Amino acid sequence: MNYYHSKIVKGKSFETVRNAVEVALKDNGFGVLTEIDFKATMKKKLNKDYLPHVILGACNPTYADKVVSIEPHISTMLPCNVTIREMESGEIEVSAIDPAAAMGVVENEEIVQHAEEVNEMLKNVLKAI
């Protein structure tokens, strides 16, 4: 089972794609709780150069509330990561975790059902960019 979905965007700048991702997330009920600038972090910690690469911690509060109400420890698997990275070709790849795959390890059908709904919402984000 694949644990993520991705889309390659051609002919657009990293910042343009990033802005489109943030709009699509918002339009699909997500907020961005966290942001990790992977490029800057690797440069600072390891003095290693990377192309632009960010990890956005996206959260849909309604679904987060539902799954945490069922299983409080599920919060260790939140938020849903969405990554934006420039590739050597200059294309931009946007990837999103498949929460149904990730949360399937919990073996609770009610949680998996909610995760599948969130998965569809994240796939809609990718379609929108």
Side-chain angles (χ1 to χ4, degrees), residues 78-102:
L78 300 176
C80 296
N81 283 336
V82 176
T83 65
I84 308 162
R85 69 181 185 99
E86 185 174 325
M87 298 170 23
E88 292 288 334
S89 64
E91 298 168 327
I92 310 299
E93 181 182 43
V94 181
S95 301
I97 189 169
D98 176 345

Side-chain angles (χ1 to χ4, degrees), residues 59-69 74 78:
C59 180
N60 179 296
T62 302
Y63 281 95
D65 175 59
K66 287 179 183 182
V67 296
V68 170
S69 295
I74 203 78
L78 300 176

Side-chain angles (χ1 to χ4, degrees), residues 23-104:
V23 167
L25 284 167
K26 183 176 181 181
D27 289 348
N28 282 276
F30 294 91
V32 176
L33 298 179
T34 61
E35 176 186 330
I36 299 168
D37 184 334
F38 190 81
K39 175 185 175 181
T41 300
M42 292 298 107
K43 184 65 175 177
K44 181 178 178 182
K45 300 291 185 180
L46 300 176
N47 197 29
K48 189 170 180 183
D49 293 317
Y50 276 85
L51 291 170
H53 187 158
V54 296
I55 304 167
L56 303 177
C59 180
N60 179 296
T62 302
Y63 281 95
D65 175 59
K66 287 179 183 182
V67 296
V68 170
S69 295
I70 297 165
E71 171 58 54
H73 292 105
I74 203 78
S75 61
T76 61
M77 303 177 91
L78 300 176
C80 296
N81 283 336
V82 176
T83 65
I84 308 162
R85 69 181 185 99
E86 185 174 325
M87 298 170 23
E88 292 288 334
S89 64
E91 298 168 327
I92 310 299
E93 181 182 43
V94 181
S95 301
I97 189 169
D98 176 345
M103 293 186 180

